[in-house]
């Protein structure tokens, strides 16, 4: 995500992101619309591995561009929970037989999106997923989406309140088309729209209204190159609970609550059981 623009890269790129500590090297030739990438702009990325529901969120800045490579200075890096991918059926739900060719109809049946927001010169990319018809709703000149349980982070809310310009990239898992939307967002408790997004009797507490300044349906060469579907078997040694534990150990927050949380997760099997319970009981 550069200056409210979104880009897709093939998943095979992960093996090429090797450089100095706290930096990433991105080959521009693998980006969709790489000519828009500029030095000293905000960077937000969502890295995923085929068959894996957890993702890695990486934020930073484009430090330099040279010889077709963008050098990214990493400022934040953390694992995102699996709920968005689970709700969307990202890896195991086939696309519809009749893929819409009209932009707003495509949005209405999309099951996954990446939301780009910004604040104080920084950027963030957040995954959101739901069954078809429960993720995005074009209505009354706006595009609406619900808030669902996730990492309990408020990055997107904080950013929208201070800087309402957003971008989102919506897709139907299994398809090579995407819809890119840019516009101004507003967080609301509108009861009518909250009810529209009810799933399994669970009504979201908040919905966001985006007034689109542009919405484009297009083919993504990068998504085609990634060959995400059918999903591959993820690496056996890449375990989300172990990564979450490492995050907690790095957390320097003081106080009784933080101390008890770190102590609880040190109990063998506690993190695994906690995640399994949360994914089952707090999906919506």
């Amino acid at each position: 995500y550069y200056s409210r623009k979104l880009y897709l890269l093939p998943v095979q790129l992960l093996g090429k992101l090797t450089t100095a500590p706290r930096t990433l090297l991105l080959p521009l030739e693998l980006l969709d619309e790489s000519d828009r990438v500029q030095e000293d702009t905000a960077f937000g990325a969502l890295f995923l591995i085929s068959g894996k529901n957890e993702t890695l969120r990486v934020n930073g800045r484009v430090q330099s561009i040279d010889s077709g490579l963008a050098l990214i200075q990493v400022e934040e890096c953390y694992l995102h929970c699996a709920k968005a991918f689970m709700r969307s059926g990202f890896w195991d739900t086939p696309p519809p037989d009749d893929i819409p060719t009209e932009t707003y109809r495509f949005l209405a049946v999309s099951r996954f999106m990446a939301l780009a927001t910004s604040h104080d010169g920084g950027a963030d990319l957040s995954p959101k997923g739901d069954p078809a018809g429960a993720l995005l709703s074009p209505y009354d000149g706006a595009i609406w989406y619900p808030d669902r349980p996730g990492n309990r982070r408020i990055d997107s809310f904080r950013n929208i309140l201070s800087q309402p310009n957003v971008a989102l990239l919506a897709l139907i898992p299994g398809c090579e088309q995407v819809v890119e939307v840019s516009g101004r967002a507003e967080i609301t408790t509108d009861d009518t729209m909250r009810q529209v997004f009810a799933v399994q009797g669970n009504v979201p507490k908040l919905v966001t209204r985006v007034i689109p300044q542009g919405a484009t349906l297009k083919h993504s060469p990068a998504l085609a190159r990634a060959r995400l579907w059918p999903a591959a078997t993820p690496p056996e040694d890449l375990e989300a609970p172990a990564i979450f534990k490492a995050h907690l150990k790095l957390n320097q927050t003081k106080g009784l609550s933080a101390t008890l949380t770190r102590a609880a997760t040190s109990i063998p099997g506690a993190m695994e059981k906690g995640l399994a319970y949360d994914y089952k009981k707090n999906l919506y």
Side-chain angles (χ1 to χ4, degrees), residues 48 53 85-86 88-93 111-112 171 173 228-229:
L48 58 95
N53 285 325
F85 275 64
M86 294 173 67
S88 71
F90 195 90
W91 300 116
D92 51 22
T93 302
R111 301 201 313 270
F112 182 84
L171 60 87
L228 294 178
W229 301 279

Side-chain angles (χ1 to χ4, degrees), residues 36-224:
R36 297 183 182 179
V37 180
Q38 300 178 7
E39 293 184 1
D40 196 32
T41 53
F43 172 87
L46 185 71
F47 290 99
L48 58 95
I49 294 177
S50 183
K52 199 76 177 173
N53 285 325
E54 287 84 6
T55 52
L56 190 69
R57 289 168 69 169
V58 177
N59 300 330
R61 298 194 70 77
V62 182
Q63 185 170 308
S64 64
I65 299 174
D66 184 50
S67 301
L69 294 172
L71 178 64
I72 310 300
Q73 184 67 46
V74 176
E75 298 170 354
E76 288 184 304
C77 179
Y78 54 91
L79 199 67
H80 194 93
C81 78
K83 293 178 183 177
F85 275 64
M86 294 173 67
R87 288 191 294 260
S88 71
F90 195 90
W91 300 116
D92 51 22
T93 302
D97 294 331
D98 183 20
I99 304 297
T101 57
E102 193 274 323
T103 300
Y104 285 88
R105 287 187 59 237
F106 189 99
L107 283 172
V109 298
S110 294
R111 301 201 313 270
F112 182 84
M113 74 173 187
L115 174 70
T117 58
S118 61
H119 72 100
D120 299 328
D124 184 75
L125 199 63
S126 176
K128 298 186 180 297
D130 270 310
L135 176 65
L136 290 160
S137 178
Y139 174 73
D140 195 25
I143 298 169
W144 302 72
Y145 66 85
D147 177 52
R148 305 286 191 197
N151 267 24
R152 298 176 183 265
R153 294 183 63 95
I154 60 170
D155 305 80
S156 298
F157 291 150
R158 175 203 62 194
N159 295 351
I160 289 172
L161 290 174
S162 63
Q163 168 53 271
N165 291 322
V166 303
L168 64 88
L169 199 69
L171 60 87
I172 300 171
C175 301
E176 297 175 356
Q177 289 75 36
V178 297
V179 169
E180 181 181 351
V181 176
S182 59
R184 292 179 65 83
E186 177 188 15
I187 303 165
T188 174
T189 57
D190 185 285
D191 187 61
T192 299
M193 294 308 298
R194 287 173 54 233
Q195 296 296 330
V196 166
F197 292 109
V199 176
Q200 298 175 7
N202 296 291
V203 179
K205 293 180 173 60
L206 298 169
V207 290
T208 299
R209 175 176 177 256
V210 178
I211 302 298
Q213 297 168 343
T216 306
L217 174 62
K218 56 189 177 182
H219 178 261
S220 170
L223 191 57

